[in-house]
Amino acid sequence: DTTFSLASLSIPLKMSGDISAELGAAAINSDGETSGSAYFDLVNYLYFTTRPDKYMAVKGSLKTSLIDSEEADVENQNQYFYLYELYFDYIMADKVYITAGKKKTVWGNIRLFSNDDDFEDDEDALYTNALYDSRYNISGIIRIPFGLSTFTFLTMYRGGSDEPSHRELSYAGSAE
């Protein structure tokens, strides 16, 4: 834990991280022929959290990975070192919880009704996230507890256009 001070402003900062590496080899026998394969993967995260007051927190993570990492495929993104998440959590009137920013959000899976036409470049819509996973992981979530229930509203930005519009947003809501 560290505290940064600027004049009379003091901001607490918590930092942590993790690293994982895999090294492996395999022998593949196909139609009587054996061939070998080897791989190496390395992923490193540096997490940070700051809580300027009791109602707001800013969280984020930096990621380093090798080129073949699944999440390092976004266009025009530095694939070795990049901002993976940066978002805020805010509590309004002790009743409304707001989270917004660059944060990976998954909103369930389709299990009942499936129409391949609703999904771009997707061969198996049954395993697709119910909402399009935000291309840049930009989303906003509002949670409102009410008695034993919680009402949740989600908006995700799909991106991809030079001129952002409401058509590039996905929306969802739930009552639990």
Side-chain angles (χ1 to χ4, degrees):
D1 295 1
T2 306
T3 301
F4 289 104
S5 297
L6 180 64
S8 64
L9 180 64
S10 178
I11 300 173
L13 179 66
K14 292 182 181 181
M15 298 183 77
S16 64
D18 66 58
I19 187 169
S20 66
E22 292 182 22
L23 176 65
I28 303 167
N29 187 344
S30 177
D31 297 329
E33 292 184 27
T34 302
S35 61
S37 176
Y39 68 93
F40 176 71
D41 192 25
L42 176 70
V43 178
N44 180 41
Y45 291 95
L46 177 62
Y47 305 103
F48 57 90
T49 301
T50 184
R51 186 172 291 280
D53 62 35
K54 67 179 187 175
Y55 300 107
M56 183 171 184
V58 177
K59 301 176 181 181
S61 61
L62 300 172
K63 181 177 180 180
T64 58
S65 63
L66 297 177
I67 292 176
D68 293 332
S69 178
E70 291 177 19
E71 286 143 1
D73 294 336
V74 177
E75 283 180 25
N76 303 319
Q77 177 172 287
N78 180 339
Q79 296 180 349
Y80 298 107
F81 182 75
Y82 60 96
L83 182 66
Y84 185 67
E85 290 185 323
L86 180 60
Y87 62 96
F88 71 88
D89 288 328
Y90 185 76
I91 302 171
M92 185 173 14
D94 291 329
K95 298 279 185 197
V96 178
Y97 299 85
I98 301 169
T99 300
K102 180 177 172 47
K103 182 177 193 284
K104 185 169 180 139
T105 304
V106 176
W107 189 275
N109 292 307
I110 296 173
R111 296 287 183 235
L112 187 54
F113 302 105
S114 178
N115 179 352
D116 289 337
D117 295 338
D118 292 339
F119 304 95
E120 295 178 25
D121 302 323
D122 188 6
E123 295 175 9
D124 191 358
L126 289 175
Y127 298 102
T128 301
N129 187 354
L131 283 180
Y132 182 96
D133 256 341
S134 174
R135 180 175 180 173
Y136 301 104
N137 294 329
I138 298 172
S139 62
I141 301 172
I142 297 175
R143 290 181 189 87
I144 305 169
F146 185 76
L148 297 175
S149 301
T150 301
F151 297 97
T152 304
F153 306 95
L154 169 72
T155 300
M156 296 175 74
Y157 175 66
R158 289 190 294 248
S161 170
D162 292 337
E163 296 181 28
S165 75
H166 68 281
R167 292 184 188 108
E168 295 173 357
L169 297 174
S170 296
Y171 303 96
S174 73
E176 300 174 13

